[in-house]
Structures are given as C-alpha cells and as structure tokens.
Amino acid sequence: MNNIAQLPIRATLVGVTLMVVSMQVVAANDALAKYLTIVLPVMLVVFLRTFFQTFFLALFLAMRRQVPRRRAIFNKMQLARGILWWWASVLFFWTISRYDIPGALALFFAGPLFIALTAPFLLKERFEPRLLGAALLGFGGTILIIRPDSDMLQLGMLPALLGGICYAIYLMGTRHVSLDRTLLAEEVAFSAGLWASVLGLPLAIWFWSPMNVMLVLVALVMGACSALGHVMLALACQRVRASKLAPYVYTEMIGAILFSFVLFATLPATGTWLGIVLVVGGGLVAALRDRPTQIDPIV
C-alpha cells in the first residue's frame, strides 16, 4: 500500500526534475539564439530553431522506427500549440536581440503567473494559493536579479511580456495534449515544431540571409537544444500539473545568467544572489509535498 502511495510522489519528483533540467537547456538555446540574432534577422533565427528542432525529433523517431501519427499532428490543439510557440519565440527573440537575456526573461516570466491564475479555470485544476505565492516569490527573485531601472519601462520590452503569456498558454496546451498517454512525448514536441516551422517559412524566405558554416553549426546546436528541452517539457507535463510546474520555470534565470556571462561577458547587478535565493525558495515552496491523499494521481 505504501509503495502504491509513493508512485504519485515519485512521478511528481521526476516531472519537476525534468522541468528544471529542461529550463537549463532552454537557457542555452536562448543564448545561442541571441548570438545568431547579432548577424541574422530574427524571423530567420526563429525558423532555424523550429525547423532544426523538428528535424532532430523526426530523426529520433526514425531511429526508433516510429512515424508521428496523423492524430498527433492534425488536430486543433496541436496547431494552436505551434502558433503559440512561434509567437512566443518571435516576441522573445526580438527582445533579446536588443536587450540582455536576464532583463527580457524578467518580463517573459510573467507568463507563469498567468498559468497559476488561469489553470484552475482553463484546465479544471485545483486552485492552490501556495503555488501562486511560489510564483510571486520567484518573480520577485527575478526582479532582484536584473535590478530593473527606467530602461525596463521602454515599450521595446513589452514583446517579452506578450511572449511570456503566449508561452504560458502553450504550456497549458502541452499539459492538455500530454494527458493522452498514448502519444509519445516526442510526437507532442514534434507537432509544435512542425506547425511553427510551417507558419514561419514564408517570413524566413522573405528575410533569408547567407550563412557560413559556423552559423549553420550554431543553428544545429540551437535546434538540438530546443528539441531536447521540448521533449523533457512534454514528459514533465505528463507527470505534473501545469500550475505546479509553473514556479520551476524561474530556474531558467540561473542558466541565463551563466550563459550570458560565458558568451557575452555580462553579469547582473549585485542583487543577483538574493534573487537566486528567492527563485530557489519559490521552487522549494512549490515542491512542498501534500499529504498522500491529496496528491494528484498519475494520468
């Protein structure tokens, strides 16, 4: 009986771990995207990301001798996920092409607050004030990390906020699709990348720019990171509710600071460490276990 009761707890632990790791992969992906936007148009970079993500997922499925099923691709929810993912990428990439990554993430991270507030209504999930408090704590940590000044009030930063809302809805859509346990996580991630690539192809052709071998290699690594991050995200959503995963999105800030320093030699202000403590604290608050009778079953 105890072993049965522990299964949902283990599923939650695995799901949260997948989410945290996926956020670090996403941070690496964003850093590579910023590098590419220095020399390539944003619309082209967005297409390269989604295209190579789809390519690597298709390759992985082929190695397993599996073909994405029609119902995993041709349905309204998957199309909506692809559109949301494309818009989130365009809005965020446009912002980081002009501003530093941690600063853009501070506004992008308003998206998880949207999840915490709307998931009980859109996904029929139980509302937990503790999760909303954890999301607010994590957002407060990001504010301390980037120490916003008057520059943050510029209208040019607003696309990151809109991108965060698109990503939040995308995450809830991923949770909805992932509830179908007959679908592979790779299929779920493949579908979003495929639709986003189809949507972005005309603009990529319009903004096409020549690329050397180095840029192509960076784009390939960016696509591989995106594919890996999305598969882990889908796996996490199969195990844990969207609102409970939301606070762990803030852990991306740690990777964003690291990669920004390594690739661009930039560091946030002195409030960084206190901000990180708050971000981690928000994650710990969200991870507090409910009593076994209150833990959601594996779906």
Side-chain angles (χ1 to χ4, degrees), residues 47 58 71 79 110 126 129 141 149 174 176-177 184 213 231 263 283-284:
F47 174 76
R71 68 184 184 85
L79 173 60
R126 184 176 69 252
D149 51 27
T174 301
H176 178 80
V177 173
L184 300 174
V213 175
V231 169
L263 295 180
L284 293 176

Side-chain angles (χ1 to χ4, degrees), residues 42-275:
V42 171
M43 292 299 182
L44 179 55
V45 175
V46 171
F47 174 76
L48 291 173
R49 179 195 199 183
T50 57
F51 174 78
F52 284 124
Q53 168 190 326
T54 307
F55 169 77
F56 280 113
L57 289 170
L59 183 63
F60 180 75
L61 286 168
M63 292 173 61
R64 298 179 60 180
R65 297 183 180 181
Q66 294 173 328
V67 178
R69 287 163 285 186
R70 289 179 58 86
R71 68 184 184 85
I73 300 174
F74 297 101
N75 63 68
K76 294 179 180 179
M77 181 58 70
Q78 295 288 53
L79 173 60
R81 290 179 62 245
I83 294 173
L84 288 166
W85 177 237
W86 184 82
W87 270 112
S89 299
V90 169
L91 293 167
F92 184 67
F93 282 11
W94 186 90
T95 306
I96 65 174
S97 69
R98 291 160 173 78
Y99 301 90
D100 63 280
I101 296 177
L105 274 179
L107 290 181
F108 192 81
F109 279 160
L113 295 178
F114 183 81
I115 293 178
L117 291 172
T118 61
F121 306 99
L122 299 181
L123 296 178
K124 308 300 181 183
E125 296 183 351
R126 184 176 69 252
F127 178 76
E128 297 183 29
R130 174 172 55 83
L131 293 177
L132 177 58
L136 289 171
L137 190 63
F139 183 70
T142 63
I143 294 299
L144 281 175
I145 288 173
I146 55 92
R147 284 296 182 91
D149 51 27
S150 58
D151 291 338
M152 288 289 291
L153 299 178
Q154 295 181 7
L155 293 180
M157 294 295 289
L158 289 180
L161 175 60
L162 298 176
I165 294 175
C166 289
Y167 181 75
I169 303 173
Y170 166 82
L171 181 59
M172 288 189 286
T174 301
R175 168 63 175 172
H176 178 80
V177 173
S178 299
L179 291 176
D180 184 352
R181 298 304 295 272
T182 63
L183 294 179
L184 300 174
E186 294 84 353
E187 288 181 304
V188 175
F190 173 86
S191 299
L194 177 63
W195 285 117
S197 298
V198 171
L199 181 64
L201 179 58
L203 288 172
I205 295 175
W206 181 265
F207 289 98
W208 185 263
S209 178
M211 294 182 290
N212 57 33
V213 175
M214 181 63 182
L215 292 178
V216 173
L217 289 176
V218 173
L220 281 169
V221 176
M222 178 180 65
C225 289
S226 184
L228 179 60
H230 277 74
V231 169
M232 288 191 293
L233 174 61
L235 289 171
C237 287
Q238 286 179 342
R239 291 163 172 78
V240 184
R241 292 178 293 117
S243 55
K244 181 165 283 189
L245 286 175
Y248 295 98
V249 174
Y250 294 115
T251 61
E252 183 186 348
M253 181 61 75
I254 300 173
I257 294 172
L258 175 62
F259 290 117
S260 292
F261 176 72
V262 172
L263 295 180
F264 308 107
T266 59
L267 282 175
T270 56
T272 296
W273 295 114
L274 179 57

Side-chain angles (χ1 to χ4, degrees), residues 1-12 289 292 295 298:
M1 186 67 180
N2 289 336
N3 290 334
I4 295 177
Q6 289 297 319
L7 288 177
I9 299 176
R10 293 173 183 171
T12 299
R289 297 188 302 182
I295 295 177
I298 301 176

